[in-house]
Amino acid sequence: MGPFQTPTPPPPHRAGPPPATTLRSVPGVTDVVVADLDAARAAALADTLGVRAAADIEEMYADGLDGVVITAATSAHAPLIHQALDAGVPVFCEKPVALDVPGTVGVVERARAGTVPVQIGFQRRFDAGYRAAREALRSGELGWLHTLRACTSDRTPPPAGYLPTSGGLFRDCSIHDFDILRWLTGREVVSVYAQGANRGASFFADGDDVDTCAALLRFDDDTLATVTATRYNGAGHDVRLEVCGSEGARFVGLDDRAPLPSAETQLSWRRAADPYATFMERFHDAYVTELGVFAEVAAGRTPSPCSPAEALEALYVAEACERSRRTGEPVAVADVRAPVVAPGV
């Protein structure tokens, strides 16, 4: 199978491990080609990675593709997805689908009207810990859920230039938690109450964003969840989930590299390695697995494990949280939902 496109991201940008590097190790992928609006940058990356470069995106499509992997800035996601669908090429795109609901709805409706598969990159669905917690919950081992606690804490903030295209902390960061909570529980969020704060660099407030946030979510079965995020977690990159039920619990992210320095003097375990510094380290294996699954999607052997419509559902929760942060009031997710799109399609 091959080749694949990987539009390279214009700096500043935050993405997972270089997809071109990962794709070379995916079984069945025989050729990788890199394309970018900046041909020189694409050529330099291709030379570094030992893959091919196209002079431009049009030339890349003319070469014949089995699949497209998009890792450009968020503002370019929707146009590039539409371009791949125009060409009839299966496409993988990092989250989010677009910066706003209308742009995302446009992709959802376009994908729903055709037969070309689209996979959105929520890599936590492929993390071994999250998958094990989901299995324990779905099997009934944990009983009924009463509380979920999720956190996503960056060790260091992104550059200031990243903020204008990020969509803000809820849409850029916490959206991973919103997606994984829906995926794990199989339930929908019906209302949120969210707050945000700025304790760090002034460019967050100057960009009308926050560097720390907290949200209380209520699901349609009355399960409660808390979701927190920050750009400043000096202990290390911390991504965890507590799944608490009437008969048991599962805690995702409690491995030897979890940045959890204890205040207790008596501790039966000790961290055996340096704490995670970035999300690339924390989710390396998940990124690799995710692209391996996309190769199967592109080959027509499996359906997309995360459609644009599912990504839209997570975005609705993020939009509700952002509205709640700004108004100081609880927000029903139905109030931000676009009524023309059927959930889960």
Side-chain angles (χ1 to χ4, degrees):
M1 178 183 296
F4 282 78
Q5 171 204 9
T6 55
T8 57
H13 185 68
R14 289 154 58 88
T21 303
T22 304
L23 284 168
R24 289 188 305 171
S25 63
V26 171
V29 175
T30 59
D31 193 14
V32 176
V33 59
V34 177
D36 193 275
L37 293 178
D38 185 335
R41 184 169 62 209
L45 177 63
D47 183 64
T48 299
L49 299 178
V51 300
R52 294 193 296 123
D56 53 40
I57 295 177
E58 288 71 23
E59 177 184 292
M60 180 265 312
Y61 274 108
D63 196 30
L65 298 174
D66 293 312
V68 180
V69 176
I70 296 171
T71 62
T74 297
S75 56
H77 285 183
L80 287 170
I81 293 173
H82 282 292
Q83 188 176 24
L85 294 178
D86 287 342
V89 177
V91 55
F92 173 96
C93 184
E94 292 291 350
K95 67 81 197 168
V97 173
L99 282 173
D100 55 22
V101 168
T104 304
V105 168
V107 171
V108 170
E109 293 181 335
R110 176 71 186 283
R112 183 176 57 180
T115 59
V116 179
V118 180
Q119 178 179 337
I120 304 303
F122 282 104
Q123 87 283 350
R124 295 186 193 183
R125 295 182 177 214
F126 302 92
D127 177 79
Y130 284 104
R131 295 179 77 87
R134 184 178 191 257
E135 181 178 351
L137 175 62
R138 297 295 184 92
S139 71
E141 184 178 352
L142 306 186
W144 48 265
L145 276 179
H146 57 79
T147 308
L148 295 148
R149 304 184 189 96
C151 74
T152 298
S153 303
D154 288 339
R155 184 173 187 175
T156 55
Y162 174 71
L163 292 188
T165 62
S166 73
L169 189 57
F170 285 113
R171 300 185 191 96
D172 175 59
C173 190
S174 295
I175 195 169
H176 279 290
D177 295 295
F178 303 148
D179 175 74
I180 206 66
L181 291 174
R182 291 186 63 254
W183 176 81
L184 189 143
T185 64
R187 313 299 307 193
E188 297 295 345
V189 179
V190 295
S191 66
V192 307
Y193 177 66
Q195 293 278 288
N198 283 298
R199 302 294 305 281
S202 62
F203 64 74
F204 287 101
D206 293 342
D208 198 25
D209 195 9
V210 293
D211 60 44
T212 302
C213 67
L216 174 64
L217 280 52
R218 181 180 291 275
F219 287 81
D220 55 10
D221 64 349
D222 282 342
T223 297
L224 299 178
T226 58
V227 175
T228 64
T230 184
R231 301 294 194 182
Y232 292 94
N233 195 58
H237 185 76
D238 187 15
V239 177
R240 286 177 290 113
L241 174 64
E242 300 176 15
V243 184
C244 305
S246 60
E247 301 297 327
R250 288 293 184 276
F251 296 82
V252 180
L254 293 183
D255 60 25
D256 284 342
R257 297 190 64 187
L260 301 174
S262 176
E264 306 300 331
T265 57
Q266 299 296 319
L267 191 66
S268 61
W269 55 270
R270 296 289 176 186
R271 191 169 56 239
D274 292 334
Y276 294 112
T278 67
F279 59 93
M280 288 87 79
E281 292 180 4
R282 169 66 176 83
F283 289 109
H284 175 270
D285 291 347
Y287 282 117
V288 173
T289 302
E290 178 181 55
L291 286 178
V293 171
F294 175 62
E296 295 295 300
V297 172
R301 290 189 286 265
T302 190
S304 171
C306 185
S307 68
E310 291 182 277
L312 177 59
E313 292 300 317
L315 179 61
Y316 284 144
V317 181
E319 290 289 323
C321 286
E322 183 63 18
R323 183 179 297 184
S324 177
R325 175 182 79 84
R326 292 178 181 278
T327 64
E329 300 290 337
V331 172
V333 175
D335 291 344
V336 301
R337 182 179 298 278
V340 295
V341 176
V345 175

